[in-house]
């Protein structure tokens, strides 16, 4: 394997490209687990090292990595990265929005609502922040507020399918 690939990546590739069925991954979950392990090794360096590597993109790095952790249902790691991004750039709407979605996934709706409120304050012309907040309002059974946010999102972006289906 190339020295530029993270340790373990060669086994992931081998498992994907193997000609013999018994050498391949038996399920998508097994493949995802192996990718998750390799991904974790890629980001095992400290936050300080990440910041030093590319100081201009530091909060974006945390937002991107947090988004990946969110998709992998690794919520605590996602929360940590979104919080780091907010600490580094308190006006980044994406960090608040994504952290709110993570709190929402954990069932921490009040915390989610706090972050969604902040995202709306930072970017009131972004329809997506209203849809995210509407989702949390809905889970809290605050239906009038959820409907209001869906309607606001549709006023801002009339073809936004998330707002249409949520309404």
């Amino acid at each position: 394997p190339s020295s530029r690939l993270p340790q373990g990546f060669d086994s992931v590739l081998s498992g994907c490209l193997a000609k013999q069925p018994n050498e391949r991954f038996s399920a998508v979950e097994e493949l995802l687990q192996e990718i998750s392990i390799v991904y974790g090794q890629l980001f095992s360096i400290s936050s300080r090292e990440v910041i030093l590597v590319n100081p201009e993109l530091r909060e974006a790095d945390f937002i991107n990595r947090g988004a990946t952790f969110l998709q992998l249902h690794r919520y605590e790691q996602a929360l940590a990265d979104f919080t780091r991004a907010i600490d580094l750039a308190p006006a980044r709407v994406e960090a608040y929005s994504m952290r709110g979605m993570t709190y929402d996934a954990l069932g921490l709706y009040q915390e989610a609502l706090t972050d969604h409120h902040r995202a709306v304050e930072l970017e009131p012309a972004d329809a997506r922040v209203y849809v995210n907040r509407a989702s949390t309002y809905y889970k809290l059974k605050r239906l009038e507020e959820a409907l209001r946010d869906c309607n606001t999102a549709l006023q801002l972006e009339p073809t936004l399918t998330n707002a249409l289906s949520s309404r």
Side-chain angles (χ1 to χ4, degrees):
S2 168
S3 62
R4 300 177 79 195
L5 295 175
Q7 181 180 4
F9 192 73
D10 57 334
S11 67
V12 172
L13 285 176
S14 297
C16 290
L17 302 174
K19 292 183 181 179
Q20 300 299 318
N22 63 335
E23 296 174 355
R24 293 184 203 136
F25 292 105
S26 60
V28 172
E29 291 79 16
E30 185 181 350
L31 170 62
L32 291 175
Q33 179 65 31
E34 289 297 314
I35 290 172
S36 178
I37 290 168
V38 173
Y39 186 84
Q41 292 170 355
L42 281 172
F43 290 104
S44 63
I45 59 177
S46 73
S47 302
R48 181 170 168 71
E49 291 173 297
V50 170
I51 290 168
L52 293 175
V53 169
N54 193 343
E56 291 183 26
L57 296 177
R58 59 185 178 219
E59 75 275 355
D61 292 335
F62 288 117
I63 291 169
N64 290 334
R65 188 172 72 173
T68 301
F69 284 139
L70 178 58
Q71 289 178 338
L72 293 171
H73 304 281
R74 293 168 63 176
Y75 300 124
E76 297 305 322
Q77 291 164 301
L79 283 176
D81 277 352
F82 296 136
T83 299
R84 282 189 209 122
I86 289 167
D87 290 342
L88 293 168
R92 284 295 296 262
V93 67
E94 301 93 340
Y96 286 100
S97 189
M98 300 288 283
R99 190 172 72 174
M101 290 189 298
T102 306
Y103 281 133
D104 196 86
L106 288 167
L108 300 171
Y109 302 126
Q110 291 303 323
E111 292 85 346
L113 207 52
T114 297
D115 279 350
H116 292 317
H117 285 318
R118 183 68 180 131
V120 167
E121 288 172 8
L122 289 170
E123 195 64 50
D126 184 346
R128 295 169 300 169
V129 297
Y130 292 97
V131 173
N132 292 338
R133 189 169 68 178
S135 174
T136 302
Y137 277 141
Y138 180 80
K139 290 172 184 166
L140 288 168
K141 303 203 183 325
R142 293 169 61 176
L143 303 181
E144 288 182 25
E145 291 158 300
L147 181 60
R148 183 194 67 222
D149 274 358
C150 285
N151 288 336
T152 301
L154 287 169
Q155 287 174 345
L156 292 168
E157 196 172 322
T159 60
L160 188 66
T161 57
N162 292 14
L164 284 168
S165 63
S166 296
R167 198 170 79 160

